[in-house]
Amino acid sequence: MSIAMPAVDISRAITRISHEILERNGGSDSITLLGIPTRGAHLAKRIASQIAQIEGREVPVGTLDITLHRDDLRMRPPRGLAPTLIPTQGIEGRDVILIDDVFYSGRTIRAALDALGEIGRPRTVQLAVLVDRGHRELPIRADFVGKNLPTSRLQSVKVHLSELDGIDEVLLEEEAVISQ
Amino acid sequence: MKHLLSIEDLSYEEALSILDTAHEMARVSDGPVKKLPTLRGRTIVNLFLEDSTRTRISFEAAAKRLSADVINFAAKGSSVSKGESLKDTAQTLQAMGTDAVIIRHSASGSAHWLAHSPWMNGSVINAGDGTHEHPTQALLDAFTIRKHLCGGAGDLGGMNVGIVGDVLHSRVARSNVLLLSKLGANVVLIAPPTLLPVGVESWPATVSYDFNREIPKLDALMMLRVQQERMNDYFFPTSREYAQYFGLNRDRLTLLKQNSIIMHPGPMNRGLEITAECADSARSVIVEQVKNGVSVRMAVLYLLLAGSSEIASAVNAEVNA
């Protein structure tokens, strides 16, 4: 097991992603941040507060649970649902930034796009992730990446955030994951 | 969880997880697109061998919102009216490849019997079996109480709930007593002695014959339908006397606490157990109960059908090995 990103790297990555989001969208007027539970939701809050510091105003931030849209529901035991909280102004015509912790097969993001389609029609959808570990199974890419982390499929990537785990770190573990 | 047969089988954690899942499902019902792809390709049979409107429609709406295919099967106009046994009906449904059967039957224990029969592989959900249980009704009642009086989260600790009327014939009352007490509420049954079942003293509830004395203490008041179709004996002298002692009317409404809610599982006998004025009052959440029923049934269908219990046990075995 090795530390792929210590706390200081995570903090820098969040600062950089926040700036990149503002640069790409020409400010914070049109953007809505949606975190994918569990850890993506916390990352979204951090990016939102970072953007608020830079811009001097709050941006709408919410969460989007994608469980009911997953394509692997039949292959796993039933799982609980996390809350979906859409900001009051909705997503219609907004630039929605989806935020997740680890970007892997791309299936979570596919499910997220389906889930978004049921809520409204954003102007654009962009994707920000803390770690991109590769091995895409779908034609989906990230717009903002904290760190590109080359991995093998046998490794597992664990993101710990202080809100939930008491510490900020990204770990790369060598153990074989249970095959999908 | 593979089946939902009774509240008795349900643990505290399972009950709470159904209510929490229903809370998220309610969001879908309020959204612009009332449809999720979650149960696409699953077939669900509504096997209703006893009359029902709202439970059947509610299950049908819930299944359709999750994209499952629904087959409705009613006793009238089917092979059952020609004398086909439940066994043959079940085998037929199995052969058609159904993933779940929602059963209502006049015989207590029929859902359990179907779930444990060797010719039924799918999930079985009890939608009311005789005078035994009606678990999804109790879950939607608990959900409604939680939403109005407990901030929509956690259990029902400390709530005082009165269940009034025909407890003897009511599977709704039995399921509610078990579930509400499991979730921490204090339940009082209010009924004439003739409408209480034998052995009610062993239920996790207190019993009272004096409606007026109990009303001021209650947070939620659940009126039961007088089930005249099951009454083959004299249980009370006249309808008027019953309404006088155990019916909810304007005078009793004034005794109720400020924030308390009035519930009824439906269908109502207006003028017998509840006056029209009370049923339509601002305190009544009877119509909302129907709405919550869809969310709760979506949660139950999701938790029973979305995952694969076979793979789950295989994964557990692999982890434990």
Side-chain angles (χ1 to χ4, degrees), chain B residues 129-193:
Chain B
D129 59 333
T131 56
H132 175 229
E133 281 228 37
H134 191 350
T136 55
Q137 178 70 41
L139 286 161
L140 79 87
D141 288 336
F143 183 84
T144 306
I145 295 173
R146 186 172 91 147
K147 193 170 158 196
H148 277 270
L149 306 169
C150 308
D155 64 15
L156 308 176
M159 287 292 120
N160 294 305
V161 182
I163 301 180
V164 189
D166 187 359
V167 177
L168 177 63
H169 299 101
S170 178
R171 51 199 175 205
V172 174
R174 178 189 289 268
S175 287
N176 259 309
V177 166
L178 294 172
L179 181 64
L180 299 178
S181 62
K182 198 169 283 200
L183 293 175
N186 310 310
V187 183
V188 54
L189 297 168
I190 304 160

Side-chain angles (χ1 to χ4, degrees), chain A residues 54-171:
Chain A
I54 302 164
E55 292 281 288
R57 49 178 287 206
E58 303 285 326
V59 291
V61 56
T63 60
L64 181 70
D65 183 55
I66 54 113
T67 311
L68 294 167
H69 296 271
R70 298 188 73 96
D71 60 5
D72 60 353
L73 282 171
R74 279 180 183 228
M75 297 147 78
R76 292 157 180 261
R79 40 175 98 203
L81 305 182
T84 292
L85 304 164
I86 302 298
T88 45
Q89 56 268 70
I91 60 167
E92 202 69 30
R94 306 282 300 174
D95 292 310
V96 170
I97 322 286
L98 290 173
I99 296 161
D100 203 3
D101 52 355
V102 180
F103 190 29
Y104 187 20
S105 66
R107 288 176 191 269
T108 301
I109 304 306
R110 185 210 57 82
L113 292 172
D114 282 356
L116 270 185
E118 269 164 25
I119 298 165
R121 184 176 183 277
R123 196 173 75 84
T124 62
V125 182
Q126 299 159 36
L127 173 63
V129 297
L130 184 62
V131 178
D132 181 353
R133 63 168 296 189
H135 304 289
R136 217 74 71 232
E137 293 163 9
L138 295 170
I140 290 174
R141 62 165 176 77
D143 299 272
F144 313 103
V145 179
K147 185 182 175 82
N148 281 300
L149 189 63
T151 59
S152 99
R153 282 180 190 273
L154 295 178
Q155 292 171 315
S156 79
V157 175
K158 290 248 161 62
V159 172
H160 290 158
L161 295 177
S162 55
E163 293 93 329
L164 295 169
D165 313 295
I167 183 171
D168 276 2
E169 61 184 6
V170 178
L171 301 177

Side-chain angles (χ1 to χ4, degrees), chain A residues 65 67-69 73-86 114 117-120 178-179, chain B residues 21 24-25 27-28 32-33 35-38 40-42 66 302-303 306-308 311-312 315 318-319:
Chain A
D65 183 55
T67 311
L68 294 167
H69 296 271
L73 282 171
R74 279 180 183 228
M75 297 147 78
R76 292 157 180 261
R79 40 175 98 203
L81 305 182
T84 292
L85 304 164
I86 302 298
D114 282 356
E118 269 164 25
I119 298 165
I178 294 166
S179 60
Chain B
T21 306
E24 293 306 317
M25 292 296 183
R27 193 181 47 75
V28 177
V33 181
K35 190 102 175 165
L36 289 166
T38 316
R40 201 166 44 198
R42 306 280 173 123
L66 293 172
Y302 167 71
L303 291 171
S308 158
I311 302 230
V315 169
E318 205 171 326
V319 169

Side-chain angles (χ1 to χ4, degrees), chain B residues 172-232:
Chain B
V172 174
R174 178 189 289 268
S175 287
N176 259 309
V177 166
L178 294 172
L179 181 64
L180 299 178
S181 62
K182 198 169 283 200
L183 293 175
N186 310 310
V187 183
V188 54
L189 297 168
I190 304 160
T194 49
L195 286 176
L196 286 166
V198 175
V200 72
E201 56 285 347
S202 67
W203 291 21
T206 51
V207 171
S208 170
Y209 307 128
D210 188 346
F211 195 6
N212 286 345
R213 205 185 59 204
E214 301 296 331
I215 288 185
K217 305 176 203 161
L218 300 175
D219 297 299
L221 177 56
M222 196 181 292
M223 305 305 299
L224 297 175
R225 184 171 65 89
V226 175
Q227 303 198 27
Q228 279 151 333
E229 78 277 14
R230 290 188 215 272
M231 292 188 179
N232 47 15

